């Protein structure tokens, strides 16, 4: 029985065997393989850490925008001139999202009947 992990292990097994031939010790081979994998994934970990820092730095600006415009599109742009929510037959603030929802629900209704 094959799983998604089989492809990863099939790549790492020859590397582990080669490290064993070099070190003549399974413990050192496992440690060396761990260091190789960590070194290979370092760039991606660095990218994730940088993105997390950018996200933390953007929090004050996002908080300011939420206070000014509301927390979502339903609060911010989907209100008429009197401040009341728009009716269904009036224009919607996210026309493409609304269109896709209607299209998918229409297809679901026609498939069931």
């Amino acid at each position: 029985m094959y799983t998604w992990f089989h492809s990863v292990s099939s790549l790492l097994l020859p590397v582990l065997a080669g490290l064993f031939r070099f070190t003549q010790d399974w413990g050192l081979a496992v440690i060396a393989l761990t260091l190789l994998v960590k070194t290979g994934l370092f760039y991606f970990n660095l990218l994730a850490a940088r993105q997390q820092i950018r996200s933390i730095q953007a929090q004050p600006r996002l908080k300011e925008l939420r206070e000014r415009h509301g927390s979502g599109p339903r609060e911010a742009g989907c209100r008429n001139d009197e401040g009341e929510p728009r009716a269904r037959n009036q224009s919607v603030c996210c026309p493409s999202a609304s269109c896709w929802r209607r299209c998918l629900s229409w297809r679901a209704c026609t498939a069931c009947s």
Side-chain angles (χ1 to χ4, degrees):
M1 178 195 287
Y2 293 102
T3 63
W4 65 270
F5 192 68
H6 178 73
S7 59
V8 175
S9 64
S10 66
L11 292 173
L12 293 179
L13 185 61
V15 177
L16 183 62
L19 288 171
F20 173 72
R21 276 188 245 116
F22 179 72
T23 61
Q24 297 297 315
D25 185 12
W26 283 110
L28 290 176
V30 168
I31 291 171
L33 180 65
T34 303
L35 291 175
L36 283 173
V37 170
K38 287 277 194 181
T39 303
L41 295 176
F42 176 76
Y43 179 72
F44 299 109
N45 288 334
L46 185 63
L47 288 177
R50 287 179 181 167
Q51 182 60 36
Q52 187 176 13
I53 290 171
R54 278 187 239 125
S55 177
I56 290 170
Q57 290 173 344
Q59 288 301 315
R61 176 78 173 135
L62 289 173
K63 184 178 179 182
E64 174 189 328
L65 289 172
R66 282 189 192 111
E67 288 172 356
R68 188 181 328 156
H69 298 291
S71 65
R74 295 272 178 224
E75 284 185 34
C78 291
R79 299 199 178 271
N80 60 16
D81 295 333
E82 291 82 29
E84 298 172 356
R86 289 185 182 158
R88 287 269 181 203
N89 58 359
Q90 293 178 341
S91 64
V92 182
C93 69
C94 302
S96 61
S98 171
C99 177
W100 284 109
R101 276 189 224 120
R102 287 184 188 143
C103 181
L104 290 174
S105 64
W106 176 77
R107 288 180 185 246
C109 289
T110 57
C112 294
S113 55

